[in-house]
Amino acid sequence: MPSLQGLPAIRRASPGAIQHFVASRSQLRIIGALFFSTQPPRVSRAITDNLSARGTASSPLHGGIAMVRALLSAVFMLSLSPQMLAQAPNLFVNATAHAVGTQPCDVLLQDMDGASGSDIVTADGGADTLTILANSGTGTFGGAPQTFALMMGDQPAALAGGTFVGVGDGDIAVACPGSNVVRLVDNMSGVLALSGSLALPGTQPVALAAGSLNGTGSDDLVIALEGDLLGNGGGVAVSLDGLPPVLLPAPSGGFGSVKDVALGDLDGDGDLDIVATRAGSGFNPLTTDQILLYENTGAASGVFTLAGTLSVTGLPRGVCVADVDGNGFADIAVAVQAFPGTGSLVILAHDGALGMTPAQFTAQSHGGGGSQPSAVACGDIFNVSLPSFFGRSDVVTTNLGSNDVSGYLGHDGMTAFQRVDSASAGANPVAIALDDVDGDGTLEIVAANLGDNTVTVFDPAPRSSALVFGVGCMGTAGIPQISAPNLAIHGTTAEVRLTQGRPSSAVVLGVSSGVSVQTLGMGPCVTYLASPVLTFTLASNPMGQASLFFDVPAFPAFSGTVLYFQYAVFDNLGAFNGILAFSPALRLTIGSTSVL
């Protein structure tokens, strides 16, 4: 084993070097062709000794290590202490209202000009228009609105974005119950034009969902048909590649009044399935079987079979599909209204096995939000997910009974959300959309307010989170573990910690701005850090632990910054050639407060 003389078990970073590193990190020299050298860390030690926090930064590398320590972490916990929960402010902060057309019935976030991020588009049911609010490039929408006229009497009610006309993206499909058609709006570099209409096999289109259902590259459409008060003309229709929509198989007793549709891979086979909510007729509301499940038969066919129905207590309205509980399979979130003046968010949680039979979903009813929830949207608001390793979505609803919006944050993976926030919107909020419109890594929340002809934009600030991901490999004391007991919140002291390392041993920490999965030799050890990688050394104490403490700057310039970390421990029983044992990896994000 290499000599441990001079290798500290605990170091503290100098915050003065942080800004220097941000300016110079593109010039950093890299140690090692792989994540960690298999040689004793002689070179690494020499460099890190030079970089220890002994005053101000004297080189890009000195600034680099200080920044590394200052960005080191915030472990994302599924069970948070009351102190952590108390740190986070209400989700719905920095609210701004913008005027749009008369009676906005739906809102779409989509880049319409290819220049400055997602813009806001509303369907103005009382004016037969679309209103476009252009993004300034920083997530503000202060310019003059653009109005696009549809046909008189269209009464646009719902929007979907995608590639529907020709090539490119940014087209819009508009459900128009006043004329019983879906209008297709061609977007040519920000110049809009009506390009055609889809005649429907039913009446009153009230909701749309878009995605590639048959693998041809263009976006297909799923249309919710509400029908009349007697339940006639309702249904779920699919238009593939711009062809006339076709009704999907009806459940027993007919469709009734379909309220919303959503797409997602519910059976785990890689293609998009369909969920629809229905409410019977105006004179005969349904009390069971209100959720319809349509399974894509696979092989990118775009052919759907009715996989079954699910029941909720109340009247279902909006629906979205996402992995809410973090088990790797898509769940169904439904806004459910009840009388008098109540309601709830219902999560139909998938059991995590392949398939989408009704028996695989368990209903969870969640209160704490506003009354009479209407629309619902799913999204990872604070970017805590990491594709291929972990995914978890938050859920946001608009609430007609209380004129507000509610955010259901951080499902614990079992039966509960860890936090529910609400805040006032405009009058009669009927639609909601999520997207990162300002590029800071968090999702903005936009509600369309039917009663006062506005949209409300909520802009949450980036928050601190961390996620342990991947697998480690064995050493003397088991698999080394990486954690960060204190979150990397501006103006606080954070810590990144190694446990279960070989006692009194050299330890190497690698830091990167990206992920690249590489198996070393024949396995089982895996590294997760993409090149370039900084490395520096510590030593574990007699209990196999090592820590770095670092002060996180109070200023928000680094909010949303994400880095990735992994430990290697020199260990003569290490799974990698009797030399090294590896921890899992850690993804770290700096923010103004904790996620929850």
Side-chain angles (χ1 to χ4, degrees), residues 411-439:
H411 196 281
D412 64 6
M414 294 175 286
T415 61
F417 287 94
Q418 295 177 73
R419 180 166 179 150
V420 181
D421 285 346
S422 296
S424 296
N428 296 84
V430 294
I432 196 150
L434 310 178
D435 199 4
D436 181 7
V437 301
D438 59 5

Side-chain angles (χ1 to χ4, degrees), residues 357-396:
T357 64
Q360 292 181 261
F361 294 90
T362 300
Q364 304 171 0
S365 182
H366 301 275
S371 63
Q372 300 291 42
S374 176
V376 62
C378 295
D380 180 7
I381 293 174
F382 293 109
N383 192 29
V384 301
S385 301
L386 183 62
S388 301
F389 293 100
F390 175 78
R392 191 191 66 183
S393 179
D394 307 304
V395 184
V396 183

Side-chain angles (χ1 to χ4, degrees), residues 303-339:
V303 176
F304 292 86
T305 60
L306 181 63
T309 62
L310 294 167
S311 300
V312 294
T313 301
L315 302 176
R317 290 298 185 256
V319 61
C320 62
V321 175
D323 185 2
V324 174
D325 57 12
N327 72 347
F329 275 74
D331 309 301
I332 304 168
V334 185
V336 178
Q337 297 179 353
F339 293 96

